């Protein structure tokens, strides 16, 4: 089935909009480059996750309703965030009052999931190369909630949709840390359990450093924001980017000049 | 029950644990090592995931017919010559045990591991009656001598370093205080406890699986302490929470394959012992304890009753590994402990559902597939309404109010993006900025994505 | 109401259950159960000895110990509180390949405590009596005949001090399984 030309609603997490717009822009570009008619509906807000995760259903409800209302009519809904998609996909039951929710649900995709499952790995074209060693941050919502990769706990055959998509970028070397463990962001967990959260984040960073990595990529900017904050505080040399930014060729070191430099 | 104890604050306890970074990292690594052993064991069994599904189904089925299976167990056990007693709560349980011991004139008791007796405060009660209770599991003996509590349900002394043990043993077992070799210390404990075994008037054990159809039960240990303890004296009291029942011995194939692999990565516990009848000339009692379990059964936490106490959820929990078992302030720590404690007394344990980053790793290791992280997620609805979370609730409420007004939110964030870079550092990193205590605040973008999008059109 | 009635009342759920469906586990299989058994037992800290001849004397030659030998294949006099069993010889009814466990049922022919009091344990097992997994193992057991019996996999052990494995906690310090019959 030809999926090009289908209408995709782009959801941009609230903090991404203000702090990491490049991740959103990259997502938009990647989707458009694969022939989709992408729209970013105005007036979108938070998916409600912080409230859901704190048991505040009444506060989350209008946000869930807004989400369903804005996105119900698209063929697909894509976001550069597995945790927001996870929230909308698995946490809206009994929260939203919008009857269209059950129909919207199967149309919700995290970006890599969309590229892998809907576009298909064989159809992916990225006009860029990225000859760097990239540490992949396997966020929990991506691997344990959305099933974008096999989590280490389960006795199932290994796969990773994120890796499969990212590997289509020319020259990239993807390395995974020794543990596919939580980075300790966890939304309000990061402030409520600040000390454990910081220790978890630092441990993840150290794991990547041990792999000789100086750039970390993931599908959840929130995890990366947390680790970036820690790395900056500690003076650790590590760059944090969204996978979409690499796919769109919007990360430095991704240019042809860099490519040539590698060759010389 | 609420109000008896002040609310416990997991984050505060955790901060104390992480403050000693070296020790916290050591704790983390020790338990991660166990988790890796578990992974290898689980992956050596191709049918692992089907086993977990079967175990989940059997447990759910048993819970659905719990009354039936318990009565069946009682009548079958009686036929085997086992005396079955029921205790509605911790107090009744303590009383029953004390009565049995008194009837038999037992003054020295050896006990093998049972979280239930911890939960019900059995040791202090018996000691107050002048009965000597010796915990015989090595880890439990260590914490008993230290005047401490287990910090893990399978590895009770995992919070202690071998030097701590050397220190305690030198006081009580007169070992060399400078020799912290685990082999040396274990041998010393063996000799010390051998005397206790030979001297005991009664043995108390827990129960891993009670068999309704056969009227017997199974106790799993690696040390052999339950076997040695129960074989010598003529009195054996076995204690079970009422959720320990399974329909029949045929189900043991599934559970024994899962338990040790999940717990320590062993293919099976060294001793998997089946008790069906009293030993010749001896007496065997089984005490079935409720203590809040029947109430749990009729709540959304009923699935937590399927727990077979393997400890895997603790070993995999990134928070538990870095905060230590004692930070939970409840007899059972970690993910399952947080669920059980919260279900029991949310006012006191409101911080536990939040002591979780919702990573869901626990769900994946649990051999009976308890949806632990989902339970904690749901438990937050009750936790957030506890008075101590008033301020957090108000802040989130305000945030939600703003979020429901995207235009206002947009203007606010634009202001933040503009102002934040201009502010002096001391103002941004003030004492209310918990985020900024350990981390830098992200750099605001010059233009938000919505602005870029609008211009791009 | 007494405690039992109160608990059962609170539980409800007393109706007779429908039988559980049979599970399609498809348990693992081994090309050589004997080899798998040996490997698993070794991992559990034990050892297998191929042996055509299992006299007490031959078996004793495989152990270093002090104290006396108790061979439960002969009649055993009361040994309660016996601190001096250097080697105990018992028969196992069958073994389990996936985990190296042996099923030992004293059948009240010898007292239970000798199994844990003995410093060393020699288990005699017929090679053809090894089943692949615990599922087949439980099918073999007639619980009506049992008073106390156990699966034992290797010597007693503990890792309660800093996760360092120490063989010999409360029970046997050495455990070897003597496989009888054609290999
Ligand atoms: S909840 Fe599951 S993983 Fe945790 S101790 Fe119980 S059975 Fe083991």
């Amino acid at each position: 089935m030809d999926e090009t030309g289908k209408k995709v609603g782009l959801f941009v997490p609230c903090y991404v909009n203000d702090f990491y717009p490049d991740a959103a822009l990259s997502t938009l570009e990647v989707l458009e480059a694969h022939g989709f008619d992408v729209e970013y509906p105005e007036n979108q807000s938070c998916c409600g996750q912080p409230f859901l995760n704190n048991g505040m259903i009444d506060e989350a409800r209008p946000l869930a309703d807004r989400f369903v209302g804005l996105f119900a009519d698209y063929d697909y809904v894509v976001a550069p965030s597995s945790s927001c998609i996870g929230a909308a996909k698995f946490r809206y039951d009994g929260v939203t009052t919008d009857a269209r929710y059950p129909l919207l649900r199967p149309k919700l995709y995290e970006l890599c999931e969309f590229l892998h499952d809907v576009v298909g790995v064989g159809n992916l074209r990225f006009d860029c190369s990225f000859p760097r060693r990239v540490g992949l941050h396997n966020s929990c919502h991506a691997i344990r909630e959305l099933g974008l990769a096999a989590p280490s706990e389960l006795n199932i055959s290994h796969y990773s949709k994120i890796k499969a998509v990212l590997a289509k970028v020319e020259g990239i070397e993807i390395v995974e840390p020794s543990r596919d463990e939580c980075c300790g962001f966890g939304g309000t967990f990061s402030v409520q359990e600040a000390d454990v959260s910081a220790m978890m984040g630092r441990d993840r960073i150290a794991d990547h450093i041990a792999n000789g990595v100086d750039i970390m990529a993931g599908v959840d900017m929130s995890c990366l924001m947390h680790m970036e904050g820690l790395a900056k505080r500690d003076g650790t040399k590590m760059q944090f980017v969204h996978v979409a930014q690499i796919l769109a060729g919007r990360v430095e070191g991704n240019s042809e000049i860099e490519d040539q430099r590698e060759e010389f | 029950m609420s109000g008896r104890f002040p609310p416990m604050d997991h984050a505060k306890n955790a901060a104390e644990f992480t403050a000693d970074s070296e020790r916290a990292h050591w704790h983390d690594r020790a338990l991660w090592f166990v988790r890796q052993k578990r992974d290898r064991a689980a992956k050596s069994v191709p049918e692992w995931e089907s086993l977990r599904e079967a175990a989940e189904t059997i447990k759910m089925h048993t819970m659905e017919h719990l009354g039936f299976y318990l009565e069946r167990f009682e009548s079958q056990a009686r036929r085997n010559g086992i005396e079955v007693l029921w205790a509605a709560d911790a107090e009744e349980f303590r009383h029953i045990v004390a009565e049995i011991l008194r009837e038999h004139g037992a003054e020295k008791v050896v006990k093998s591991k049972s979280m239930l007796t911890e939960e019900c405060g059995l040791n202090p009660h018996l000691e107050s009656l002048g009965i000597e209770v010796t915990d015989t599991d090595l880890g439990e003996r260590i914490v008993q001598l230290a005047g401490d509590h287990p910090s893990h349900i399978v590895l009770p002394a995992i919070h202690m370093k071998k030097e701590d043990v050397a220190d305690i043993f030198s006081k009580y077992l007169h070992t060399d205080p400078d020799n912290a070799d685990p082999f040396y210390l274990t041998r010393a404990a063996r000799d010390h406890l051998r005397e206790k075994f030979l001297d005991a008037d009664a043995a108390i054990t827990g129960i891993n699986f009670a068999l309704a159809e056969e009227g017997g039960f199974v106790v799993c240990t690696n040390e052999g302490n339950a076997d040695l303890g129960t074989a010598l004296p003529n009195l054996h009291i076995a204690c079970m929470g009422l959720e320990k029942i399974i329909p029949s011995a045929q189900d043991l194939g599934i559970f024994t394959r899962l338990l040790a692999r999940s717990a320590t990565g062993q293919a099976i516990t060294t001793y998997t012992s089946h008790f069906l009848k009293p030993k010749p000339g001896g007496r065997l009692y089984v005490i079935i304890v409720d203590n809040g379990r029947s109430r749990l059964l009729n709540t959304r936490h009923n699935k937590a009753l399927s727990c077979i106490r393997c400890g895997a959820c603790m070993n995999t929990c990134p928070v538990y590994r870095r905060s230590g078992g004692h930070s939970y302030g409840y007899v059972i720590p970690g993910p399952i402990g947080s669920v059980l404690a919260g279900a029991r007394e949310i006012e006191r344990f409101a911080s536990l559902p939040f002591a979780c980053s919702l990573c869901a790793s626990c769900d994946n290791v649990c051999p009976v597939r308890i949806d632990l992280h989902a339970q904690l997620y749901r438990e937050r609805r009750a936790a957030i309404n506890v008075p101590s979370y008033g301020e957090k609730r108000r802040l989130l409420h305000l945030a939600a109010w703003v979020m429901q007004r995207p235009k206002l939110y947009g203007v606010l964030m634009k202001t933040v993006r503009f102002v934040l870079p201009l502010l002096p550092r001391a103002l941004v990193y003030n004492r209310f900025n918990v985020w900024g205590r350990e981390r830098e605040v992200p750099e605001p973008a010059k233009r938000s994505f919505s602005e870029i999008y609008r211009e791009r059109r | 109401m007494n405690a039992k009635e109160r608990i059962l009342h609170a539980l409800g759920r007393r109706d007779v259950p429908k039988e559980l469906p049979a599970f399609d586990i498809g348990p693992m299989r081994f090309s050589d159960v004997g080899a798998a058994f040996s490997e698993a037992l070794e991992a559990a800290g034990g050892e297998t000895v191929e042996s055509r001849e299992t006299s007490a004397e031959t078996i004793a030659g495989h152990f270093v110990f002090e104290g006396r030998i108790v061979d439960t294949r002969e009649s055993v006099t009361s040994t309660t509180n016996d601190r001096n069993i250097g080697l105990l010889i018992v028969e196992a009814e069958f073994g389990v390949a996936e985990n190296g466990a042996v099923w030992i049922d004293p059948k009240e022919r010898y007292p239970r405590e000798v199994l844990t009091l003995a410093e060393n344990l020699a288990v005699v097992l017929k090679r053809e009596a090894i089943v692949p997994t615990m599922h087949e193992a439980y099918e073999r057991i007639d619980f009506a005949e049992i008073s106390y019996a156990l699966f034992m996999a290797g010597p007693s052990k503990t890792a309660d001090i800093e996760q360092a494995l120490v063989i010999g906690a409360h029970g046997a310090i050495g455990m070897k399984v003597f496989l009888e019959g054609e290999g």
Side-chain angles (χ1 to χ4, degrees):
Chain A
M1 193 173 82
D2 188 18
E3 298 290 331
T4 50
K6 291 243 169 141
K7 266 188 105 102
V8 171
L10 174 65
F11 174 76
V12 174
C14 37
Y15 64 94
V16 168
N17 187 48
D18 291 293
F19 293 99
Y20 301 100
D22 200 64
L25 184 57
S26 301
T27 306
L28 175 65
E29 288 180 1
V30 168
L31 291 170
E32 284 179 345
H34 286 87
F36 292 95
D37 177 10
V38 189
E39 210 172 84
Y40 169 76
E42 291 279 337
N43 276 329
Q44 50 181 278
S45 182
C46 170
C47 64
Q49 202 184 171
F51 313 103
L52 290 168
N53 284 355
N54 281 289
M56 296 173 68
I57 304 305
D58 293 339
E59 281 78 359
R61 183 166 296 115
L63 295 167
D65 284 344
R66 173 184 295 273
F67 185 98
V68 178
L70 279 176
F71 288 105
D73 294 332
Y74 290 97
D75 296 321
Y76 297 105
V77 180
V78 178
S81 161
S82 72
S83 77
C84 298
I85 289 297
K89 212 166 174 163
F90 301 112
R91 310 257 192 239
Y92 278 7
D93 260 334
V95 178
T96 179
T97 49
D98 197 316
R100 291 170 293 178
Y101 176 55
L103 291 174
L104 169 65
R105 199 172 166 152
K107 300 193 284 187
L108 299 171
Y109 287 92
E110 180 282 326
L111 174 65
C112 287
E113 183 183 31
F114 183 76
L115 296 175
H116 185 277
D117 294 359
V118 178
V119 180
V121 177
N123 300 323
L124 294 177
R125 298 284 175 271
F126 303 115
D127 290 336
C128 56
S129 70
F130 198 74
R132 283 177 75 178
R133 196 174 161 81
V134 176
L136 183 61
H137 173 60
N138 285 307
S139 46
C140 303
H141 288 280
I143 65 173
R144 298 195 181 82
E145 192 170 33
L146 295 184
L148 298 193
S152 58
E153 304 94 10
L154 294 179
N155 189 359
I156 56 176
S157 30
H158 184 78
Y159 70 94
S160 168
K161 296 182 184 179
I162 307 171
K163 254 173 105 169
V165 169
L166 207 47
K168 295 289 283 188
V169 175
E170 201 191 300
I172 195 167
E173 186 193 352
I174 307 163
V175 283
E176 287 177 283
S178 70
R179 303 183 185 182
D180 61 354
E181 185 180 75
C182 177
C183 69
F185 172 65
T188 49
F189 175 83
S190 61
V191 284
Q192 173 137 356
E193 286 273 355
D195 298 275
V196 175
S197 164
M199 183 173 166
M200 285 164 71
R202 288 196 168 105
D203 290 351
R204 286 304 84 237
I205 295 168
D207 202 340
H208 283 278
I209 289 174
N211 273 345
V213 157
D214 63 2
I215 179 167
M216 224 197 266
V219 298
D220 282 278
M221 218 50 234
S222 49
C223 303
L224 298 170
M225 169 174 78
H226 154 70
M227 286 187 279
E228 180 184 60
L230 290 164
K232 270 195 193 158
R233 174 65 54 89
D234 298 345
T236 307
K237 199 180 153 289
M238 180 72 77
Q239 197 183 346
F240 297 84
V241 297
H242 193 280
V243 166
Q245 293 171 277
I246 296 180
L247 300 181
R250 296 185 61 88
V251 185
E252 251 178 88
N254 193 19
S255 64
E256 280 176 43
I257 305 161
E258 184 95 4
D259 241 345
Q260 286 162 358
R261 233 189 281 141
E262 284 284 313
E263 280 168 23
F264 285 130
Chain B
M1 225 155 125
S2 68
R4 260 205 316 178
F5 296 95
M8 56 79 52
D9 183 347
H10 181 273
K12 190 166 145 263
N13 298 343
E16 279 164 28
F17 197 81
T18 55
D20 186 344
S21 166
E22 201 186 314
R23 203 179 176 109
H25 274 112
W26 172 81
H27 189 263
D28 164 63
R29 276 194 305 271
L31 288 159
W32 181 257
F33 178 64
V34 184
R35 154 76 215 267
Q36 285 179 306
K37 285 198 290 183
R38 173 260 169 221
D39 287 356
R40 279 195 293 275
K43 283 167 189 176
S44 73
V45 179
E47 64 273 25
W48 182 256
E49 302 300 334
S50 325
L51 281 176
R52 289 177 68 223
E53 279 165 31
E56 176 189 24
T57 309
I58 296 169
K59 277 289 185 181
M60 294 306 281
H61 163 90
T62 313
M63 293 310 142
E64 274 308 307
H65 304 280
L66 198 48
F68 170 84
Y69 282 121
L70 285 170
E71 277 193 287
R72 179 79 183 156
F73 171 78
E74 180 185 42
S75 63
Q76 294 296 79
R78 289 223 164 107
R79 264 190 16 193
N80 288 339
I82 299 174
E83 284 156 80
V84 179
L85 298 159
W86 303 68
D89 55 30
E91 197 183 325
E92 255 180 49
F93 169 67
R94 293 192 297 260
H95 179 75
I96 291 172
V97 177
E99 266 308 295
I100 299 172
L101 292 174
R102 196 188 53 79
E103 254 171 53
H104 290 81
E107 287 168 356
K108 290 178 180 159
V109 178
V110 282
K111 198 171 119 239
S112 69
K113 199 147 73 199
S114 146
M115 291 315 295
L116 177 68
T117 59
E118 268 298 318
E119 169 191 323
C120 295
L122 184 67
N123 284 16
H125 180 70
L126 295 182
E127 279 155 12
S128 75
L129 299 174
I131 296 166
E132 181 195 278
V133 189
T134 305
D135 281 322
T136 57
D137 172 83
L138 177 59
E140 286 208 317
R141 185 62 179 155
I142 293 167
V143 292
Q144 186 183 34
L145 290 174
D148 200 352
H149 290 285
S151 69
H152 188 291
I153 61 176
V154 173
L155 319 161
I158 190 68
H159 59 292
M160 290 178 145
K161 302 267 263 187
K162 54 183 192 266
E163 291 76 20
D164 304 331
V165 180
D167 194 41
I168 295 156
F169 277 16
S170 73
K171 275 194 208 114
Y172 296 95
L173 312 186
H174 312 294
T175 53
D176 174 1
D178 298 321
N179 192 343
D181 174 34
F183 181 84
Y184 168 74
L185 295 169
T186 302
R187 280 290 182 277
R190 176 183 169 97
D191 294 341
H192 156 75
L193 288 164
R194 186 56 73 97
E195 295 308 314
K196 297 284 180 193
F197 282 121
L198 291 169
D199 234 21
D201 308 314
I204 296 178
T205 69
I207 287 178
N208 289 91
F209 306 101
L211 315 170
E213 198 46 47
E214 291 78 10
F217 58 91
V218 177
V219 182
C220 303
T221 73
N222 275 322
E223 300 184 3
N225 51 326
D227 296 78
L228 184 51
T230 56
L232 291 167
N234 279 328
L235 176 60
H236 174 187
I237 305 172
C239 317
M240 61 180 269
L242 49 75
E243 79 282 14
K244 291 285 177 241
I245 193 91
I246 58 173
S248 87
Q250 287 315 307
D251 307 315
L252 284 172
I254 288 159
F255 289 107
T256 54
R257 298 189 74 197
L258 286 166
L259 179 61
R261 287 188 174 97
S262 299
T264 58
Q266 294 167 268
I268 187 171
T269 43
T270 303
Y271 296 83
T272 305
S273 307
H274 302 61
F275 295 85
L276 275 297
K277 297 188 183 90
K279 68 177 240 183
R283 299 281 288 274
L284 175 51
Y285 293 84
V286 168
I287 308 177
I288 301 173
V289 184
D290 183 342
N291 201 34
R293 287 166 176 75
S294 57
R295 199 178 52 80
L296 205 65
L297 192 64
N298 298 313
T299 69
R300 62 177 183 276
H301 296 297
N302 59 348
K303 215 173 171 191
L305 283 174
S306 299
C307 174
I308 58 171
R309 300 285 188 268
C310 72
C313 57
M314 287 150 219
N315 306 337
T316 203
C317 178
V319 179
Y320 172 91
R321 273 188 271 109
R322 290 171 179 83
S323 70
H326 290 152
S327 64
Y328 293 77
Y330 186 63
V331 52
I332 297 175
I336 183 66
S338 293
V339 171
L340 293 170
R344 229 169 234 279
E345 210 182 330
I346 193 63
E347 286 80 9
R348 183 170 159 212
F349 295 111
S351 66
L352 293 184
F354 296 113
C356 164
S357 63
L358 297 178
C359 81
S361 178
C362 46
D363 297 26
N364 286 348
V365 296
C366 179
V368 287
R369 291 168 47 101
I370 301 173
D371 52 344
L372 291 156
H373 99 288
Q375 301 240 358
L376 291 171
Y377 172 79
R378 284 198 299 270
E379 190 62 28
R380 292 175 179 193
R381 293 184 197 180
I384 197 72
N385 286 315
V386 165
S388 49
Y389 282 111
E391 196 192 340
K392 180 182 177 184
R393 205 169 56 238
R394 274 190 297 279
L395 272 171
L396 279 164
H397 186 80
L398 180 67
W401 187 85
V402 176
M403 293 291 196
Q404 284 158 32
R405 290 158 181 77
K407 293 230 168 58
L408 170 65
Y409 178 70
V411 172
L412 264 176
M413 285 314 290
K414 194 169 178 157
T415 319
V416 169
R417 280 190 279 117
F418 179 72
V419 173
L420 200 58
L422 306 177
L423 293 178
R425 194 174 162 82
L427 203 63
V428 178
Y429 294 91
N430 63 50
R431 66 194 175 88
F432 298 108
N433 182 355
V434 185
W435 172 274
R437 242 171 41 206
E438 295 283 332
R439 319 173 185 86
E440 292 297 301
V441 170
E443 247 171 68
K446 292 207 172 56
R447 288 180 309 160
S448 71
F449 175 72
S450 26
E451 286 167 358
I452 297 170
Y453 183 79
R454 248 175 264 137
E455 286 161 30
R456 197 173 175 268
R457 286 241 123 173
Chain C
M1 281 200 285
N2 64 25
K4 174 187 167 184
E5 283 158 0
R6 270 186 322 215
I7 293 168
L8 287 174
H9 179 75
L11 287 176
R13 299 161 201 258
R14 288 164 83 165
D15 52 315
V16 182
K18 281 204 246 35
E19 253 192 58
L20 266 164
F23 296 103
D24 185 19
I25 300 286
M28 61 211 282
R29 288 293 173 256
F30 304 92
S31 54
D32 180 346
V33 282
F37 175 85
S38 297
E39 198 186 309
L41 180 60
E42 214 167 286
E47 204 182 296
T48 34
V49 181
E50 305 279 344
S51 180
R52 273 161 207 271
E53 208 271 305
T54 54
S55 68
E57 218 175 25
T58 310
I59 287 175
H62 287 270
F63 290 90
V64 182
F65 63 97
E66 286 166 24
R68 58 195 193 89
I69 302 176
V70 174
D71 188 346
T72 61
R73 294 172 299 181
E74 286 151 23
S75 76
V76 180
T77 48
S78 173
T79 47
T80 301
N81 294 12
D82 194 327
R83 297 165 195 237
N84 198 29
I85 308 174
L87 176 63
L88 181 81
I89 304 172
V90 297
E91 280 174 321
E93 293 183 11
F94 60 89
V96 187
E98 69 164 322
N99 54 27
V102 288
W103 177 248
I104 302 171
D105 180 359
K107 293 209 170 78
E108 292 173 12
R109 286 199 297 111
Y110 55 91
R112 299 175 181 187
E113 62 270 22
V114 294
L115 284 168
T116 28
L117 281 173
E119 290 283 303
N120 291 285
L121 193 61
V123 179
V124 180
L125 174 68
K126 291 209 166 46
R127 176 177 269 284
E128 64 269 19
I130 298 177
V131 298
T133 76
M134 293 302 283
H135 304 293
E136 296 79 25
Y138 277 107
E139 276 166 22
R140 286 188 64 143
I141 303 168
D142 179 3
F143 280 89
E145 297 297 314
I146 290 166
S147 165
Y148 157 84
L150 73 156
F151 283 106
M152 196 174 166
S156 81
K157 56 185 84 68
T158 182
D160 274 349
I161 301 174
E162 281 203 10
Q163 278 300 293
L165 178 69
V166 178
I167 301 287
H170 298 302
I173 288 176
M175 193 257 205
K176 293 181 185 179
V177 175
F178 293 79
L179 281 184
E180 268 185 335
E182 295 303 308

